[in-house]
Amino acid sequence: RGLAEEIRQRLGSVDGLMVAGPKSSKTAAESNKDAAGIADDVNVRHLVQGSIRVYGDQIRIAAYLVDDQGYQMWSDSYEMSLTNVFAMQDEIANDIITRIGSHVPADGSSPISTEESTRNPQAYLLRVRGQEQLASRSEGPLRRSITLFEEAIELDPAYGDAYVGLATAHALLPFYSDVPMRESFDLAQSIIARGAARDSTVDTKAAGIVAFMLFHSEWRYIESENAFRVALKNRPNDAELLNWYS
């Protein structure tokens, strides 16, 4: 499910393409309804379904595109080494965009090209598992996500995305536990600073959670607004970020 979330985020980065948020996607994945029922509940025109299998250092992904009536529009399978999993996810997302038939650049180039901030596939998979736990939004999964992000950073101390995930988990923890908000926010800020010292993209990537903390801790509305604008400039279709901003 974590790798599926990565593909969802890639699709969400395409300008003008509206993609259901992580909570809606998780609910849909766990639903017993058929594709048409899920599409109606989530209010989308297309569903992406599939399966993921990891064996040794190889990964195989089967992907399907289904319309809101339940008819399969496209399917394909992908297999490659874990070291190339980043490129595989871009390839799948671009194939889906092409089949949807919109949002493809006029020059035919791929609309999605993601640069992952680690080349360590094991660290990457730990971060992906951390993001999956983070999306559950309850105390147990949030604490598990913290452990997974920390393990990813241990494998790659310059892994910027893992620092952002770790900071986000700590910032959200007070809303689902009895951990003091000030304590968690201070820790999250220190993690962002530590990550930014290793990876210059961390400050920009963490702008959304920084804005969230500014709003909730000290009601610094102008600073929070500015941080949200920076975050939305880079992730204009991020459903969760738009929810926080609203």
Side-chain angles (χ1 to χ4, degrees):
R1 193 180 299 159
L3 291 174
E5 172 62 14
E6 291 294 299
I7 294 172
R8 187 200 69 80
Q9 290 186 11
R10 280 162 166 77
L11 292 171
S13 71
V14 178
D15 189 29
L17 181 64
M18 301 306 295
V19 178
K23 286 187 178 180
S24 296
S25 298
K26 184 175 184 293
T27 300
E30 296 172 349
S31 173
N32 291 322
K33 292 185 178 181
D34 61 15
I38 293 172
D40 185 59
D41 286 347
V42 185
N43 192 28
V44 295
R45 294 176 58 190
H46 303 89
L47 296 173
V48 177
Q49 301 175 325
S51 62
I52 300 170
R53 298 179 65 183
V54 178
Y55 49 100
D57 64 349
Q58 295 291 116
I59 183 168
R60 177 182 296 164
I61 297 179
Y64 311 89
L65 183 65
V66 181
D67 69 14
D68 56 1
Q69 298 302 307
Y71 293 103
Q72 182 173 304
M73 301 171 59
W74 162 84
S75 68
D76 208 341
S77 60
Y78 306 79
E79 182 172 355
M80 63 179 65
S81 166
L82 281 172
T83 58
N84 295 317
V85 68
F86 320 113
M88 178 193 281
Q89 290 175 140
D90 282 352
E91 181 182 355
I92 294 171
N94 281 310
D95 284 350
I96 292 168
I97 293 294
T98 300
R99 295 312 183 281
I100 290 174
S102 60
H103 308 288
V104 178
D107 61 4
S109 62
S110 297
I112 299 173
S113 180
T114 307
E115 184 65 32
E116 182 66 25
S117 62
T118 185
R119 292 291 94 188
N120 185 319
Q122 296 305 321
Y124 172 76
L125 290 176
L126 285 167
R127 184 188 70 77
V128 167
R129 289 171 58 200
Q131 290 295 147
E132 178 185 354
Q133 294 295 317
L134 183 63
S136 295
R137 294 298 194 269
S138 58
E139 182 176 3
L142 281 172
R143 291 190 182 279
R144 286 193 290 274
S145 77
I146 287 171
T147 298
L148 290 163
F149 290 133
E150 288 175 340
E151 290 176 357
I153 292 169
E154 185 175 347
L155 288 178
D156 183 354
Y159 193 0
D161 290 332
Y163 284 100
V164 176
L166 181 59
T168 301
H170 278 293
L172 293 176
L173 190 58
F175 296 88
Y176 302 93
S177 71
D178 59 1
V179 175
M181 183 179 294
R182 185 70 268 161
E183 176 184 317
S184 281
F185 282 10
D186 287 346
L187 180 55
Q189 291 283 11
S190 70
I191 290 166
I192 292 168
R194 183 157 52 97
R198 295 273 194 165
D199 180 347
S200 61
T201 69
V202 166
D203 279 335
T204 298
K205 291 178 177 178
I209 196 62
V210 168
F212 177 89
M213 290 189 289
L214 285 170
F215 182 85
H216 283 282
S217 63
E218 298 172 5
W219 296 277
R220 293 155 63 181
Y221 298 125
I222 300 301
E223 292 175 74
S224 176
E225 169 85 10
N226 291 337
F228 272 124
R229 289 183 181 277
V230 170
L232 286 167
K233 183 177 180 180
N234 291 282
R235 292 150 53 200
N237 299 324
D238 188 308
E240 183 166 65
L241 186 55
L242 288 167
N243 181 55
W244 288 348
Y245 184 48
S246 66

